[in-house]
Amino acid sequence: MAIQDSSTVEIDTSLFITVSGPPGCGATTLCEQLADAIGCPYVSGGEVFRELAEDRDMSLNQLIAKADESDEIDRALDQRLQQIAEKWGMSNKPFILESRLAGWIAGDRADLRLWLDAPEDVRLERIDDRIETEAEMRVREVSEAGRYESYYEIDIDDREFYDLHINTARWSKHAVFTIVRSAIEEYDPEIDEGAFRTPPMDP
């Protein structure tokens, strides 16, 4: 069976979609595929974090270190993402927001909340060509989880309000896209009996 390139697929939807997961989970790849197929913009928390670093004339590692010292950086990032979520949540236009806390930040504005994951060894192999080292990835994950708990009383391991949870190590990139595409295309608001309520978050 021939595999259709996701760049040739079109998805007709007005859903506001959030994509979350740890480093190396495949979120960027999926977001790029979905944005191309839907023809909509997407915002990455990582890109906004880089913008914050540039605004402060700092490297990513310097900004990460500063984020460990106080809540200023995390709150600045989350407030910016929340403003974006509020704007698109009221627009009735398709949009994709990607970050570790995207599902929490968008809250009930989101129509579909996704969590992607993969075993740690798979994720480490995927980030092998990135600037971030294995040790830095592990430190960042632990540090972020602690800050989320401290600032917002968020347990990042609480994923019960996500609509779809996918282990991206089990399927190809195209197959992951196909699974999500099916969920989007089969969504019918008239038979939707209700999403899990997202706990409130106040950056």
Side-chain angles (χ1 to χ4, degrees):
M1 183 176 69
I3 296 178
Q4 186 177 19
D5 187 337
S6 61
S7 64
T8 66
V9 176
E10 293 185 2
I11 302 174
D12 183 14
T13 183
S14 61
L15 297 183
F16 177 2
I17 302 164
T18 68
V19 181
S20 302
C25 69
T28 299
T29 298
L30 176 62
C31 287
E32 290 174 348
Q33 291 174 309
L34 288 176
D36 183 55
I38 297 172
C40 73
Y42 91 89
V43 168
S44 161
E47 288 302 315
V48 174
F49 193 79
R50 290 180 179 85
E51 291 173 6
L52 291 175
E54 291 176 3
D55 291 345
R56 291 162 170 75
D57 196 25
M58 301 171 70
S59 69
L60 284 178
N61 284 338
Q62 287 174 326
L63 195 64
I64 290 170
K66 186 171 179 61
D68 281 329
E69 296 172 0
S70 74
D71 65 354
E72 175 198 353
I73 302 301
D74 282 316
R75 291 187 186 277
L77 171 65
D78 297 336
Q79 285 172 358
R80 190 172 296 188
L81 291 175
Q82 192 171 63
Q83 290 169 356
I84 292 169
E86 288 173 352
K87 170 188 172 183
W88 287 96
M90 296 184 295
S91 71
N92 198 34
K93 295 180 180 179
F95 181 68
I96 302 165
L97 181 67
E98 181 271 317
S99 83
R100 287 287 295 281
L101 292 183
W104 297 83
I105 288 171
D108 295 329
R109 301 181 192 88
D111 298 301
L112 184 64
R113 294 180 290 247
L114 311 178
W115 179 270
L116 307 185
D117 208 344
E120 186 179 76
D121 59 334
V122 175
R123 296 192 292 106
L124 288 172
E125 185 175 342
R126 289 175 177 174
I127 69 164
D128 190 48
D129 60 346
R130 301 184 189 178
I131 296 174
E132 188 174 45
T133 66
E134 173 181 338
E136 288 171 338
M137 186 196 85
R138 287 182 167 140
V139 168
R140 177 158 69 96
E141 287 191 63
V142 172
S143 175
E144 287 179 345
R147 298 202 305 267
Y148 300 152
E149 178 72 29
S150 173
Y151 301 160
Y152 309 128
E153 297 184 349
I154 285 177
D155 178 2
I156 195 65
D157 292 324
D158 177 9
R159 298 163 194 165
E160 68 176 11
F161 63 88
Y162 289 98
D163 302 299
L164 200 58
H165 185 171
I166 304 174
N167 176 358
T168 61
R170 303 297 303 275
W171 293 276
S172 68
K173 296 175 183 179
H174 175 79
V176 171
F177 167 77
T178 300
I179 292 168
V180 175
R181 181 187 72 190
S182 178
I184 294 170
E185 292 179 333
E186 293 296 327
Y187 174 72
D188 182 351
E190 294 187 2
I191 62 172
D192 181 356
E193 295 185 285
F196 287 106
R197 181 169 177 80
T198 312
M201 175 181 170
D202 184 13

